[in-house]
Amino acid sequence: MEARVENPEVNHAEKSRAAFWRLHHKQGLAALKSEFARNPNTTKLFKQHCTLIDNLLMSVWKEAGIDPDCALIAVGGYGRKELYPYSDIDLLILLPENHLNDAEVNNRVEALIGLLWDIGLNVGHSVRSLEECIAEAKKDITVQTNLLEARLLIGDEAFYEQFLREVKNTLNLRHFFDAKLQEQDNRHAKFNDTAYNLEPNIKESPGGLRDLHMILWLTRSMNIHQGNSQRVSNPWNDLAKQNIITTLEARQIRHHEKNLQQLRIRLHFLSGRREDRLVFDFQNELAASLNYVNTPRKRASEQLMQSYYRSVKFINLMNEILLKSLQQYLFDPIPVTTAINERFEARNHMLEAKTAGLLQQQPGAILEAFLLLQKYPELEGMGPALLRNLQRVKNLVNREFRQSLKNKKRFIEILSQANGVNQALRAMNRYGILGSYIPAFGKIIGQMQHDLFHVYTVDEHILNVLANLRRFSKPGLRHEFPLCSELFEGFDAPHLLYLAALFHDIAKGRGGDHSTLGTLDALRFCKLHGLPKADCQLVAWLVEAHLKMSSTAQKSDLSDPSVIEGFAQFVQNERRLTALYLLTVADIRGTSPAVWNAWKARLLESLYFATKHALANQAMQTQQTILTRQNAAVEKLSNYGLSTHSYQKLWDQFGANYFLRHEPDEVVWHSRLLTPHLHSHQPIVRARLSPNGDGIQVMIYTKDQRDIFARICNFFDRMGYNIVQAKIYTTEHDYALNSFIVLDQSGKAVSYSGLLKFIEVELAQKLDGEHVLESPLRGRISRQVKHMPIELQLTVTEADNNNHKLEIIANDRPGLLATVAHQFLTQDIELHNAKINTLGNRAEDSFLISARKGQRLDAERLKLLQEILAQEI
């Protein structure tokens, strides 16, 4: 291609035209925004926006002097005349073969594209010959889909018609259908196959606009394949005319489609960019623009999101029904039928009722259908006819239905099956049956959670917990959680765990303690379903206690025998302990993919085994505990060639309480490293990868000084590491022996050998008394927390040995722990132990504190500490 020589006068004229069109586009978009605010009509906005862009593009095309043999074609959403305010404008510039290497044509096309960007249009373009278009369409299903939505803007009409014919000839209906199904499965998987995230994507999430586009693409491909490429203004009415959907379904689909279109348009205008996620930043403004107002029970944004979730739930359902209907209509017009029983049969491997009126005449068959899917795993789900009938009769799942002994028995039978429990309950929820059968569950469908570590709605979280319990039953997944799999296999009544999962958060959003309210719901449900008294009590206890094990593990010192003994008294027996452990692991893992980690896994396992040991009447008195831990440490130290004589002086200075606070493995590590440094004048810092795979374990040994904890917190804050556990201990000879577990939160790749050495050297320097103590970082809170803040909670309770337990719940941010440590220093507070727990953007930290030298803090000092912490945090 020859180099272009710039003509200053021409260049100035181009800039003037670009400025004129840019202003025209900006004013046009502003007019659309004003008009939509007055009259929020999505159809009108799409029409006016497309007209604005069409006219602009045609003017620019003419001005660019592109050869009349070429064609400018709108594709994608722009091609189907569904152009959102800031969406990409997808264009195909179609060139005849003899123009591909024409330097003048290429120069003009290049200038055209540059001009479009100068105008401020978000253009997604391709420049291809007809042959290249067809070749790309054969290779890439996305390209083929875009071409199906082609619309000529300007150029050679005959060339465009030839293009349409070639597109049609390229179309293999079966291949296209299968490829689009796979594409949808992949897209859904990116969102964990759920529409019920707290910040969903209106366009791409399951149940979003893409799921409706999917149906339109498939029906358009079907029409083109049959020789009908004509566009229709209302495709849903057209599908009703073809008897693919009913008139009522067409109206319902259009209603929910308009709801999502409204949200997406408003989101674009609010953000001033292409933003398709319903992020917290815009939920309140969106709700206000749609006239939602706060009520005593629900925020305006919650009402907005529940409306969104209702729409995506319906769209998800219709997507499933229509995909099955189209597949049957196009490829399996003569079904292969196999009888299952007198009421149901399999048609093309899908469950269908033998008679259209079965569910209406025998409502009990509703639950039977879900049970049959479990018993016949070769079935690929419910057929389209059965799904439609299920929607028509779901209102029959009423009080009378729930009181039927036969239906109660069948529901428990569904929970008691060896396979398919998770799929059955998810299907019941998806089809609107579960919320009708358990009305309390119906109330939390689409219910948001204002804690940010739950990234799903309440109903979706509950079903995730149940799915996690089911994973424990799968031999092929045993490697994920070996202990859970072993315990689950030995548990005699898994259906009780599933019931506890269904009810553990069912009372959220009602006000009051959801554990207590949920316990009443669970007990009532179990009694109504005729469960034995002991089973009813276990389910109710699990619901009431479902937070206890997590709280104990993450907030208490598990090396303290009294903590274990107290927890053992709480659970009472091993069956309860096992059930609560399984539910707790499943619950934490069901909150968010990011919340579970090896640190939490080890804490819960440690608590489980220690409590099991205590329940077996092997709980030991203090002296027995000390002796047992010492003997275990002596045996391990002998493997390193160390005799008792070599470290006895060190142990004498550690004192008896040291062995109550530290496990044998920690005693061995400390003894090996510190025996030569009993009276060290320099701080000693040692770091290692935790033997339990839960981050980095750091030991600090130095002459005791008041600001040690503050210095350590500052150091790790600036490294981007989170302290998750701190054991603060002072020896008999007034040395600080502190142990920390830290986790990397930066996500950066690091060389661990170099990192451990860095911690040892740099932290030792920071602990030098001559080094000035740095002020805590004042990190910014996340954008999510700004829109969903966590109310600060400061709680002080009495503990053993003149100590108090301070618990802090607050928005997490860099510098939070260092700020607390700094206030402990300024208020002359002595720290004995700390458990640091971060759940998403929520910090739940607990500290065992006293006055200096273990003296008791009086009420006045505690009140002052709380006031200062509240002000600083």
Side-chain angles (χ1 to χ4, degrees):
M1 186 179 291
E2 296 180 6
R4 297 176 63 189
V5 179
E6 296 287 348
N7 182 323
E9 292 184 7
V10 173
N11 193 36
H12 177 74
E14 285 180 357
K15 289 181 178 178
S16 297
R17 289 196 299 274
F20 169 77
W21 281 320
R22 182 164 56 248
L23 180 62
H24 177 69
H25 175 240
K26 185 177 180 180
Q27 290 175 337
L29 200 56
L32 289 177
K33 183 177 181 179
S34 298
E35 172 66 20
F36 189 79
R38 290 192 302 271
N39 177 24
N41 185 313
T42 59
T43 304
K44 187 176 181 181
L45 179 128
F46 291 144
K47 183 178 180 179
Q48 291 177 335
H49 193 200
C50 283
T51 299
L52 172 68
I53 301 301
D54 287 358
N55 292 336
L56 189 55
L57 288 174
M58 287 189 284
S59 297
V60 176
W61 178 273
K62 290 174 184 176
E63 187 72 28
I66 306 294
D67 194 288
D69 292 344
C70 305
L72 181 64
I73 300 170
V75 293
Y78 179 39
R80 68 173 175 271
K81 295 188 176 181
E82 187 182 329
L83 186 61
Y84 290 83
Y86 291 97
S87 287
D88 284 350
I89 300 164
D90 294 328
L91 297 172
L92 167 63
I93 299 174
L94 193 62
L95 304 181
E97 291 290 337
N98 60 353
H99 284 4
L100 277 179
N101 298 314
D102 187 315
E104 184 179 351
V105 171
N106 284 323
N107 285 340
R108 288 180 182 275
V109 169
E110 184 182 331
L112 170 72
I113 300 302
L115 187 55
L116 294 178
W117 280 104
D118 288 342
I119 292 170
L121 300 180
N122 297 319
V123 174
H125 72 280
S126 57
V127 182
R128 294 190 179 116
S129 68
L130 181 54
E131 186 177 323
E132 287 173 333
C133 281
I134 300 308
E136 286 298 317
K138 287 179 179 178
K139 289 190 299 184
D140 189 335
I141 191 66
T142 304
V143 173
Q144 187 170 38
T145 306
N146 271 342
L147 297 185
L148 289 180
E149 298 182 307
R151 176 171 62 90
L152 180 65
L153 294 172
I154 189 170
D156 192 322
E157 291 190 22
F159 190 26
Y160 174 69
E161 291 297 330
Q162 182 187 355
F163 160 80
L164 292 181
R165 288 192 297 272
E166 292 295 332
V167 169
K168 177 191 172 184
N169 293 336
T170 307
L171 185 63
N172 180 315
L173 200 55
R174 182 79 215 211
H175 175 265
F176 184 78
F177 194 98
D178 291 343
K180 294 308 288 185
L181 283 181
Q182 185 60 56
E183 184 182 68
Q184 176 171 288
D185 289 343
N186 294 342
R187 175 169 52 82
H188 285 184
K190 290 179 182 178
F191 297 93
N192 296 316
D193 291 304
T194 178
Y196 302 102
N197 294 297
L198 297 189
E199 292 186 308
N201 188 303
I202 301 174
K203 178 184 175 184
E204 302 287 351
S205 289
L209 289 165
R210 267 288 182 256
D211 281 8
L212 292 178
H213 298 159
M214 175 77 170
I215 303 303
L216 297 179
W217 290 329
L218 293 177
T219 53
R220 179 150 178 78
S221 69
M222 177 184 73
N223 291 337
I224 289 174
H225 187 265
Q226 295 170 352
N228 176 19
S229 59
Q230 184 179 359
R231 294 182 180 277
V232 292
S233 58
N234 190 328
W236 307 117
N237 285 346
D238 189 59
L239 289 182
K241 291 174 183 175
Q242 297 180 59
N243 292 321
I244 294 174
I245 60 177
T246 66
T247 304
L248 175 61
E249 286 172 340
R251 286 202 304 270
Q252 290 174 317
I253 292 172
R254 181 62 188 134
H255 167 75
H256 291 291
E257 180 184 45
K258 283 169 66 176
N259 187 29
L260 297 196
Q261 288 175 341
Q262 275 264 2
L263 289 174
R264 192 178 175 201
I265 290 168
R266 290 176 183 274
L267 199 50
H268 277 213
F269 280 138
L270 272 176
S271 62
R273 63 178 185 269
R274 186 186 63 185
E275 176 61 85
D276 296 328
R277 298 167 303 147
L278 271 170
V279 293
F280 295 132
D281 309 48
F282 300 114
Q283 286 179 12
N284 289 329
E285 286 183 87
L286 267 176
S289 73
L290 289 163
N291 299 319
Y292 289 105
V293 294
N294 292 335
T295 69
R297 297 297 296 272
K298 274 191 173 64
R299 301 179 187 180
S301 59
E302 286 183 271
Q303 298 169 56
L304 165 78
M305 294 307 294
Q306 284 202 299
S307 169
Y308 166 81
Y309 293 129
R310 281 194 296 270
S311 288
V312 297
K313 185 171 186 175
F314 180 81
I315 290 170
N316 217 350
L317 173 65
M318 290 310 302
N319 175 271
E320 180 181 354
I321 291 174
L322 289 175
L323 288 180
K324 289 178 175 179
S325 297
L326 286 171
Q327 186 158 14
Q328 196 174 84
Y329 176 79
L330 293 171
F331 310 118
D332 303 308
I334 304 174
V336 177
T337 303
T338 306
I340 292 179
N341 59 26
E342 63 273 18
R343 291 171 295 283
F344 291 94
E345 63 188 13
R347 290 184 210 154
N348 295 331
H349 307 292
M350 287 190 283
L351 185 67
E352 291 283 13
K354 285 186 174 180
T355 59
L358 172 66
L359 302 184
Q360 183 77 39
Q361 296 157 9
Q362 301 180 46
I366 292 173
L367 292 183
E368 183 185 9
F370 294 99
L371 184 60
L372 289 174
L373 289 176
Q374 294 176 281
K375 291 184 173 181
Y376 294 85
E378 66 273 17
L379 290 170
E380 297 173 2
M382 295 187 186
L386 182 57
L387 283 176
R388 280 195 165 100
N389 285 331
L390 191 60
Q391 295 312 299
R392 296 188 186 108
V393 304
K394 64 183 180 181
N395 63 316
L396 295 179
V397 183
N398 51 25
R399 183 181 180 85
E400 182 182 348
F401 183 98
R402 292 190 291 271
Q403 290 180 337
S404 163
L405 291 176
K406 189 175 182 180
N407 292 337
K408 292 177 186 178
K409 181 180 177 182
R410 190 161 278 157
F411 185 81
I412 298 300
E413 191 178 356
I414 288 171
L415 291 180
S416 303
Q417 293 300 300
N419 296 298
V421 177
N422 177 43
Q423 290 92 330
L425 289 174
R426 281 193 175 275
M428 290 175 72
N429 186 45
R430 188 163 66 250
Y431 304 146
I433 303 301
L434 188 58
S436 297
Y437 189 74
I438 307 178
F441 189 91
K443 293 177 182 177
I444 49 90
I445 291 175
Q447 172 71 46
M448 295 178 71
Q449 305 194 63
H450 297 281
D451 51 26
L452 293 179
F453 66 90
H454 284 90
V455 300
Y456 307 109
T457 56
V458 180
D459 56 318
E460 186 68 15
H461 163 67
I462 285 174
L463 293 175
N464 285 343
V465 174
L466 189 131
N468 289 335
L469 286 170
R470 290 297 301 156
R471 290 181 76 84
F472 301 154
S473 72
K474 309 292 183 184
L477 301 175
R478 196 178 184 90
H479 62 282
E480 289 185 347
F481 293 91
L483 176 60
C484 289
S485 296
E486 179 185 335
L487 295 176
F488 191 92
E489 185 180 1
F491 196 77
D492 59 343
H495 67 286
L496 301 181
L497 297 178
Y498 306 150
L499 281 169
L502 279 174
F503 282 90
H504 82 283
D505 275 355
I506 206 164
K508 280 196 169 179
R510 294 190 208 168
D513 186 335
H514 77 276
S515 299
T516 303
L517 296 173
T519 300
L520 299 175
D521 289 343
L523 191 59
R524 187 182 307 114
F525 184 89
C526 292
K527 286 180 177 179
L528 286 172
H529 283 72
L531 268 64
K533 183 177 179 180
D535 289 353
C536 293
Q537 291 174 340
L538 176 61
V539 173
W541 180 82
L542 285 171
V543 173
E544 186 173 29
H546 75 272
L547 298 173
K548 180 70 172 180
M549 191 168 195
S550 173
S551 175
T552 302
Q554 295 179 75
K555 296 183 179 181
S556 301
D557 183 0
L558 300 186
S559 62
D560 184 345
S562 65
V563 171
I564 303 303
E565 186 62 32
F567 189 71
Q569 291 174 4
F570 175 77
V571 297
Q572 296 182 2
N573 58 60
E574 189 175 333
R575 187 168 188 254
R576 276 186 168 190
L577 171 66
T578 297
L580 184 58
Y581 173 71
L582 291 170
L583 180 62
T584 301
V585 174
D587 187 17
I588 296 175
R589 289 188 66 223
T591 58
S592 159
V595 166
W596 182 261
N597 56 32
W599 158 246
K600 290 184 173 68
R602 186 180 78 83
L603 286 178
L604 289 171
E605 279 194 23
S606 298
L607 179 56
Y608 173 81
F609 283 119
T611 307
K612 182 181 177 181
H613 188 78
L615 288 169
N617 294 320
Q618 296 175 19
M620 296 175 286
Q621 299 298 321
T622 299
Q623 285 305 120
Q624 288 177 291
T625 300
I626 293 172
L627 187 61
T628 300
R629 291 182 178 180
Q630 286 179 337
N631 289 339
V634 166
E635 184 178 346
K636 291 183 178 182
L637 285 166
S638 68
N639 295 331
Y640 292 98
L642 294 175
S643 64
T644 308
H645 174 75
S646 62
Y647 49 80
Q648 189 59 54
K649 287 184 179 180
L650 184 73
W651 282 18
D652 290 343
Q653 294 298 339
F654 280 178
N657 281 338
Y658 168 83
F659 296 96
L660 292 173
R661 296 282 309 281
H662 297 84
E663 299 288 345
D665 177 69
E666 294 174 291
V667 175
V668 170
W669 189 44
H670 294 167
S671 300
R672 286 177 54 220
L673 297 176
L674 297 179
T675 293
H677 306 288
L678 177 60
H679 298 288
S680 174
H681 297 292
Q682 299 296 325
I684 293 174
V685 179
R686 295 291 182 267
R688 66 175 180 174
L689 295 181
S690 173
N692 301 294
D694 52 4
I696 297 172
Q697 194 170 12
V698 182
M699 176 196 72
I700 295 102
Y701 181 73
T702 184
K703 283 291 288 182
D704 197 18
Q705 56 193 62
R706 294 177 55 242
D707 60 0
I708 291 176
F709 186 59
R711 289 176 180 272
I712 292 168
C713 290
N714 268 331
F715 175 78
F716 285 115
D717 254 347
R718 284 169 165 76
M719 276 191 70
Y721 273 65
N722 276 356
I723 297 172
V724 292
Q725 178 176 290
K727 283 187 182 180
I728 313 298
Y729 184 74
T730 305
T731 67
E732 299 285 334
H733 65 314
D734 206 28
Y735 269 70
L737 175 53
N738 300 339
S739 300
F740 293 82
I741 299 288
V742 297
L743 298 180
D744 177 16
Q745 296 298 314
S746 67
K748 298 175 183 174
V750 292
S751 168
Y752 270 105
S753 58
L755 175 67
L756 299 179
K757 191 66 178 175
F758 174 84
I759 291 173
E760 292 176 351
V761 173
E762 293 295 320
L763 181 53
Q765 291 180 4
K766 296 289 185 186
L767 292 174
D768 189 326
E770 296 180 3
H771 193 282
V772 177
L773 175 62
E774 298 163 303
S775 297
L777 289 175
R778 305 297 292 183
R780 297 169 61 185
I781 61 174
S782 74
R783 65 166 184 85
Q784 292 177 319
V785 168
K786 288 180 182 178
H787 300 280
M788 200 174 283
I790 298 163
E791 183 180 352
L792 175 65
Q793 297 177 45
L794 292 166
T795 308
V796 176
T797 54
E798 291 190 4
D800 296 335
N801 301 321
N802 284 337
N803 297 324
H804 284 86
K805 187 175 184 180
L806 169 67
E807 294 184 83
I808 300 175
I809 297 176
N811 295 314
D812 190 33
R813 59 167 173 79
L816 175 63
L817 186 58
T819 299
V820 174
H822 189 75
Q823 292 308 315
F824 286 166
L825 176 63
T826 58
Q827 297 303 310
D828 213 21
I829 301 295
E830 189 170 281
L831 178 67
H832 302 280
N833 199 31
K835 277 291 188 76
I836 314 302
N837 187 27
T838 305
L839 302 166
N841 289 302
R842 176 188 177 100
E844 293 187 359
D845 303 341
S846 61
F847 306 90
L848 195 65
I849 58 175
S850 70
R852 298 301 298 168
K853 300 189 180 300
Q855 295 299 304
R856 184 180 179 82
L857 288 164
D858 59 37
E860 187 175 338
R861 288 190 66 186
L862 287 171
K863 182 181 178 183
L864 177 62
L865 174 64
Q866 287 177 281
E867 290 174 351
I868 291 174
L869 285 174
Q871 181 179 344
E872 289 296 315
I873 295 174

